[in-house]
């Protein structure tokens, strides 16, 4: 069964550094999402992406964040200058088509900012 | 804005017994979808069950079933014959058609041997 994959599974970085989290959505999916889960808290929406542009973003998704689909398979989340409070689990998800509503989640990347 | 509430931060159940997790939501939309996700210690998000709001029949997946009360905006999850592997965080989630998820704060379920 096709699945969403994410790399790395765990990333440790120093405050102020840039990180790129990578996701490979399911191949025929058209909609892509990033969510964040701070330890012990609920999962929060960050951004959705369709047709090579951001379709929606939350208040969390400020100027330090950016997303990109650099080729036909990868979907990346860049955090330009990491802060301690960016430490969280980051989930990528994808959805097939306008008529499909289910989002498939990847296993997550645990980001630790020290 | 939509909100999802899970009023039980933690619950426990004896193995083989039945437990019900509560979820309520707030929306002005008529068409939407509801989900329950399980998050074990590995922290992966695993879809347990889903319900389309336009369907009156409650969804069932093996030992998991829901009680969907649209007028009351309630979407509870019943787990029958609880197993040790059911121990996890359970998140209720709401989604408008074509939009992103809104998750509840979660209920930590412990299945006791």
């Amino acid at each position: 069964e096709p699945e969403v994959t994410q790399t790395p599974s765990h990333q440790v970085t120093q405050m102020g550094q840039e990180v790129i989290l990578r996701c490979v959505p399911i191949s025929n999916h058209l909609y892509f999402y990033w969510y964040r889960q701070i330890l012990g808290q609920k999962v929060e929406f960050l951004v959705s992406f369709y047709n090579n542009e951001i379709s929606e973003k939350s208040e969390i998704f400020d100027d330090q964040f950016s997303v990109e689909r650099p080729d036909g398979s990868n979907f990346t989340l860049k955090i330009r200058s990491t802060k301690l409070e960016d430490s969280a689990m980051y989930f990528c998800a994808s959805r097939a088509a306008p008529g499909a509503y289910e989002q498939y989640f990847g296993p997550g990347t645990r980001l630790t900012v020290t | 804005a939509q909100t999802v509430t899970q009023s039980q931060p933690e619950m426990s159940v004896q193995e083989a017994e039945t437990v019900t997790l509560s979820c309520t939501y707030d929306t002005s939309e008529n068409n939407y979808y509801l989900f329950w996700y399980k998050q074990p210690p590995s922290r992966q998000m695993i879809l347990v069950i889903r319900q389309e709001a336009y369907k009156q029949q409650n969804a069932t997946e093996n030992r998991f079933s829901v009680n969907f009360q649209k007028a009351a905006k309630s979407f509870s999850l019943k787990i029958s014959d609880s197993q040790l592997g059911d121990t996890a965080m359970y998140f209720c989630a709401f989604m408008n058609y074509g939009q992103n998820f809104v998750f509840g704060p979660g209920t930590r379920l412990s299945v006791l041997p």
Side-chain angles (χ1 to χ4, degrees):
Chain A
E1 186 176 333
E3 57 184 21
V4 177
T5 59
Q6 290 184 243
T7 55
S9 56
H10 190 192
Q11 172 98 45
V12 181
T13 189
Q14 288 192 327
M15 194 167 53
Q17 296 295 305
E18 174 183 287
V19 295
I20 297 176
L21 309 184
R22 302 182 192 280
C23 168
V24 179
I26 295 173
S27 63
N28 62 342
H29 284 194
L30 302 177
Y31 297 82
F32 314 111
Y33 305 83
W34 282 102
Y35 293 84
R36 180 182 81 174
Q37 185 187 29
I38 295 171
L39 184 64
Q41 298 186 23
K42 66 179 180 182
V43 179
E44 300 172 291
F45 167 74
L46 290 177
V47 66
S48 59
F49 192 86
Y50 170 70
N51 200 25
N52 283 321
E53 61 182 21
I54 291 173
S55 48
E56 189 179 356
K57 60 182 181 180
S58 72
E59 293 174 353
I60 303 168
F61 194 86
D62 61 23
D63 291 345
Q64 69 162 337
F65 292 95
S66 62
V67 290
E68 195 177 33
R69 189 155 162 81
D71 52 43
S73 59
N74 288 284
F75 178 51
T76 61
L77 174 69
K78 182 192 290 186
I79 308 175
R80 252 180 286 281
S81 178
T82 50
K83 298 180 275 200
L84 294 176
E85 53 265 38
D86 294 327
S87 293
M89 196 78 163
Y90 289 81
F91 292 100
C92 172
S94 70
R95 178 164 69 91
Y101 58 85
E102 184 173 342
Q103 293 183 24
Y104 293 81
F105 282 82
T109 292
R110 184 192 303 272
L111 176 65
T112 302
V113 183
T114 61
Chain B
Q2 290 82 20
T3 58
V4 177
T5 302
Q6 294 177 249
S7 59
Q8 306 148 314
E10 293 189 29
M11 293 192 72
S12 61
V13 62
Q14 291 294 135
E15 196 176 3
E17 298 199 341
T18 296
V19 64
T20 299
L21 309 183
S22 302
C23 172
T24 58
Y25 57 94
D26 186 26
T27 183
S28 57
E29 301 291 330
N30 191 47
N31 295 317
Y32 50 87
Y33 306 95
L34 296 161
F35 304 80
W36 278 97
Y37 277 87
K38 169 185 177 181
Q39 188 179 47
S42 67
R43 298 190 71 184
Q44 182 155 2
M45 296 292 283
I46 301 167
L47 177 65
V48 174
I49 199 166
R50 59 177 174 260
Q51 173 85 40
E52 296 93 333
Y54 63 84
K55 289 187 178 178
Q56 293 187 346
Q57 185 172 6
N58 289 323
T60 299
E61 288 285 342
N62 301 313
R63 299 183 295 108
F64 299 89
S65 61
V66 298
N67 183 4
F68 173 48
Q69 302 289 326
K70 191 173 183 180
K73 296 179 182 173
S74 169
F75 183 61
S76 60
L77 174 70
K78 185 170 83 169
I79 306 174
S80 304
D81 186 25
S82 298
Q83 300 176 358
L84 296 178
D86 296 334
T87 292
M89 281 290 283
Y90 286 81
F91 292 97
C92 178
F94 169 99
M95 191 181 79
N96 270 346
Y97 178 75
Q99 297 186 15
N100 55 281
F101 279 109
V102 176
F103 286 88
T107 295
R108 183 178 304 279
L109 177 67
S110 299
V111 180
L112 308 173

